[in-house]
RNA sequence: GUGAGCGUAGCUCAGCUGGUCAGAGCACCGGACUGUGGAUCCGGGGGUCGUGGGUUCAAGUCCCAUCGCUCACCCCA
């Protein structure tokens, strides 16, 4: 058995994944993004500092191990910290700014698996580094939205908020603590813990008890606490989205789970894929590079989950076209013809996709097998053909048939298939 | 980490209140079928009934434990 929360990818499922990544590649590279593949493990520090020691990811969801030298390494739980590490390491700050990067690959989190959540899952990440311009925030949202639109998804919901600058957030958390501490006992167990660690997350609680209390106390949204600059930044992002006709909802309760976010936060949801409805999310993280020991490099980006997008496509009834079969399926009609089929297949490869039966077949059976495989042509090799070094080719779509020297088969098939 | 549901053939599942209960369909292989269309008919291989204990004359069937899967919570992709 594959270990808990992991799975083997093949067949239709693999093709769908590859299609999703290929579509994202097209959209992101059209915007000038450079593909990057970082290692799937990093020094644990990269994530502890970059993602934040207080986050759930670092506290309980990382696969961490020691190498033989006693260094602590971690399977990457997300992509942004690693991509910023790469940006710093390769001196991309001297490239023309901003630098747009994208990456597709596996991520690892030690959570209990459920629908749309796996321990090894796949993300497409995009980051624009080196500018604070709200144009790049709007562009990131647009690129995420377009990637999903290009795949054919329709029922998308973009949620937008701002978590403000660090000082705004500090003021807001202080406000929440002051407001809620007297009612600590009325909160759910989870939210009591949130009150200590990150009061903003209480807004996101799914507990009815919590939501009723918040309602009753008339809690003010984070957006009320935005400073002058963060407010202007959000307004600019909204204006750009409006001009691009990207529908969005302001979602004051939207809270990012990672410490490095400032200002813009967004998610794209799809209603029909179960409890884990977020296809992707992202935001701005101007302080991240400093946490990793570099100079200040502002950035904004997103990630979306390939498995979740695949679920959403299935929910919308998306169907992949059938797998393309071989160009030619060779059918040996006699024992001696099996080897001849192998030799002829090798002669035609790799220009053509050629398969053959390993045991002699009766013609009817052979045609049946060729059809099952979705072959364009069936090729018969019987005693007659062996004697004359010929092969009988049958175009399965029309039934028309021709017998010709094996030496001419390649040319014939190439022009017939063109 | 918490809760609920579920583990019988490669896949989808049947198997009532314990007594031919080791089954079906699909898939795979072969035959009917001497050189031509995914069909049909017939046959075949394949399962320690997740695992370990227990109750019983008798356990896929009941009890306990354990492992796994699924969904949900937490949080997120």
């Amino acid at each position: 058995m594959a270990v808990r929360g992991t799975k083997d990818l093949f067949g239709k499922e693999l093709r769908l994944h590859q299609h999703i990544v290929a579509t994202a590649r097209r959209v992101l590279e059209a915007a000038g993004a450079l593909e990057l593949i970082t290692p799937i493990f990093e020094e644990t520090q990269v994530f502890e500092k970059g993602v934040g020691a207080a986050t759930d990811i670092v506290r309980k969801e990382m696969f961490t191990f020691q190498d033989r030298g006693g260094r602590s390494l971690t399977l990457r739980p997300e992509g942004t910290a690693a991509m910023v590490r790469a940006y710093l390491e390769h001196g991309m700050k001297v490239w023309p700014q901003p630098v747009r990067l994208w990456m597709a690959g596996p991520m690892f989190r030690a959570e209990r698996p459920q629908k749309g959540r796996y321990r090894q899952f796949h993300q497409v990440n995009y980051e624009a580094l080196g500018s604070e311009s709200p144009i790049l925030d709007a562009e990131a949202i647009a690129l995420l939205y377009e990637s999903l639109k290009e795949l054919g998804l329709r029922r998308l919901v973009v949620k937008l908020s701002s978590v403000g600058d660090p000082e705004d957030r500090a003021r807001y958390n202080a406000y929440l603590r002051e407001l809620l501490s007297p009612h600590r006992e009325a909160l759910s167990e989870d939210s009591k813990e949130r009150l200590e660690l990150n009061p903003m997350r209480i807004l996101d609680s799914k507990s009815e008890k919590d939501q009723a209390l918040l309602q009753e106390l008339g809690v003010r949204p984070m957006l009320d606490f935005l400073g002058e600059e963060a407010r202007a930044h959000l307004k600019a992002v909204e204006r750009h989205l409006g001009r691009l006709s990207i529908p969005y909802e302001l979602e004051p309760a939207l809270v990012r789970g990672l410490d490095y976010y400032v200002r813009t936060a967004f998610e794209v949801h799809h209603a029909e894929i179960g409890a884990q409805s977020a296809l992707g999310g992202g935001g701005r993280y101007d302080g991240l590079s400093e946490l990793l020991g570099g100079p200040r490099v502002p950035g904004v980006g997103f990630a979306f989950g390939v498995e979740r997008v695949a679920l959403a496509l299935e929910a919308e009834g998306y169907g992949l076209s059938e797998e393309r079969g071989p160009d030619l399926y060779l059918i040996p009609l006699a024992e001696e013809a099996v080897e001849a089929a192998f030799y002829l297949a090798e002669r035609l490869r790799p220009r053509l996709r050629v398969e053959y039966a390993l045991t002699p077949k009766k013609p009817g059976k052979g045609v049946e097998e060729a059809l099952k495989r979705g072959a364009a042509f069936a090729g018969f090799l019987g005693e007659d053909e062996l004697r004359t070094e010929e092969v009988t080719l049958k175009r399965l779509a029309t039934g028309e048939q021709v017998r010709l020297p094996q030496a001419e088969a390649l040319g014939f098939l190439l022009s017939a298939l063109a």
Side-chain angles (χ1 to χ4, degrees):
Chain A
M1 290 286 287
V3 306
R4 173 196 281 261
T6 71
K7 63 175 171 180
D8 303 311
L9 272 177
F10 58 93
K12 278 191 128 100
E13 199 176 9
L14 176 59
R15 282 209 301 145
L16 184 53
H17 275 232
Q18 290 173 331
H19 172 63
I20 291 167
V21 172
T23 302
R25 163 180 279 116
R26 193 155 41 80
V27 171
L28 299 176
E29 293 190 346
L34 175 74
E35 183 168 10
L36 168 73
I37 298 179
T38 70
I40 60 169
F41 54 87
E42 297 271 349
E43 289 187 25
T44 301
Q45 291 276 304
V46 170
F47 304 116
E48 280 183 350
K49 290 180 177 168
V51 178
T55 60
D56 282 3
I57 288 180
V58 171
R59 284 170 62 224
K60 51 190 188 192
E61 296 173 6
M62 296 205 305
F63 283 104
T64 295
F65 59 97
Q66 293 208 328
D67 70 6
R68 293 192 181 193
R71 241 184 341 180
S72 180
L73 304 177
T74 294
L75 260 33
R76 63 184 185 199
E78 59 102 45
T80 303
M83 289 171 86
V84 171
R85 191 226 81 227
Y87 174 95
L88 295 172
E89 184 168 333
H90 301 290
M92 295 185 195
K93 64 179 185 303
V94 306
W95 294 11
Q97 303 294 302
V99 174
R100 295 177 178 85
L101 300 171
W102 79 279
M103 170 163 86
M107 304 291 161
F108 305 84
R109 292 184 201 170
E111 299 177 273
R112 191 95 168 238
Q114 70 186 66
K115 186 171 187 181
R117 171 157 58 209
Y118 313 97
R119 289 187 159 189
Q120 173 171 341
F121 60 102
H122 297 80
Q123 279 189 341
V124 169
N125 281 254
Y126 163 84
E127 319 291 345
L129 294 150
S131 164
E132 295 187 27
S133 170
I135 286 179
L136 294 183
D137 300 51
E139 184 181 64
I141 295 168
L143 291 173
L144 172 55
Y145 189 70
E146 281 163 20
S147 296
L148 301 175
K149 271 298 238 225
E150 273 296 291
L151 285 163
L153 286 174
R154 288 296 171 261
R155 290 167 234 162
L156 300 171
V157 180
V158 178
K159 297 183 178 178
L160 175 69
S161 185
S162 173
V163 296
D165 285 306
E167 53 274 22
D168 304 336
R169 202 158 41 196
R171 282 210 315 279
Y172 189 53
N173 276 327
Y175 157 76
L176 287 176
R177 279 207 184 88
E178 197 174 323
L179 180 72
L180 294 172
S181 289
H183 305 87
R184 192 172 186 282
E185 288 314 309
L187 289 169
S188 67
E189 286 308 309
D190 288 326
S191 286
K192 282 177 192 166
E193 198 180 336
R194 293 185 185 111
L195 193 56
E196 314 295 331
L197 287 168
N198 189 349
M200 284 176 70
R201 287 202 203 146
I202 297 175
L203 303 183
D204 214 16
S205 172
K206 286 177 189 167
S207 154
E208 288 177 21
K209 198 163 89 171
D210 292 349
Q211 289 301 336
L213 179 65
L214 292 172
Q215 194 79 42
E216 187 187 320
L217 293 175
V219 68
R220 295 163 64 198
M222 173 70 222
L223 295 178
D224 283 3
F225 285 74
L226 294 185
E228 201 64 37
E229 292 180 10
R231 180 176 306 280
H233 193 94
L234 175 61
K235 286 295 160 215
V237 173
E238 289 194 73
R239 196 175 80 245
H240 301 320
L241 292 179
R243 283 296 298 272
L244 295 173
S245 301
I246 292 175
Y248 67 94
E249 298 170 3
L250 263 193
E251 176 65 64
L254 182 66
V255 177
R256 305 272 67 212
L258 282 51
D259 281 359
Y260 52 60
Y261 284 106
V262 296
R263 299 190 180 181
T264 309
F266 58 91
E267 291 182 353
V268 176
H269 287 255
H270 192 276
E272 290 166 55
I273 60 172
Q276 309 304 323
S277 67
L279 299 180
R284 177 160 282 282
Y285 47 84
D286 295 346
L288 175 56
S289 70
E290 287 167 300
L291 295 175
L292 294 177
R296 178 181 165 80
V297 178
V300 60
F302 68 77
F304 71 77
V306 176
E307 285 84 357
R308 290 194 184 172
V309 170
L311 285 172
L313 285 168
E314 282 167 27
E316 291 199 7
Y318 178 85
L320 273 179
S321 56
E322 282 306 302
E323 190 97 49
R324 189 163 64 106
D327 297 316
L328 174 64
Y329 184 72
L330 288 170
I331 303 157
L333 299 174
E335 190 59 54
E336 320 82 72
V338 173
E339 293 179 358
F342 168 46
Y343 303 146
L344 178 56
E346 277 299 311
R347 200 164 154 183
L348 299 174
R349 294 166 177 169
R351 298 284 303 275
L352 296 172
R353 294 154 49 105
V354 184
E355 297 176 28
Y356 56 91
L358 248 193
T359 54
K361 303 283 172 197
K362 288 172 188 163
K365 263 293 198 254
V367 169
E368 200 175 303
E369 289 185 10
L371 288 165
K372 265 188 209 167
R373 278 159 224 259
F377 278 86
F380 298 99
L381 287 170
E383 290 173 15
D384 301 349
E385 286 88 348
L386 285 191
R387 246 191 321 275
T388 56
E389 294 263 312
E390 291 181 312
V391 59
T392 299
L393 299 176
K394 180 189 190 74
R395 188 192 278 271
L396 292 167
T398 61
E400 61 185 309
Q401 188 163 310
V402 58
R403 182 157 155 182
L404 76 181
Q406 291 181 17
E408 293 171 20
L410 182 61
F412 173 84
L413 288 167
L414 282 174
S415 65
L417 291 164

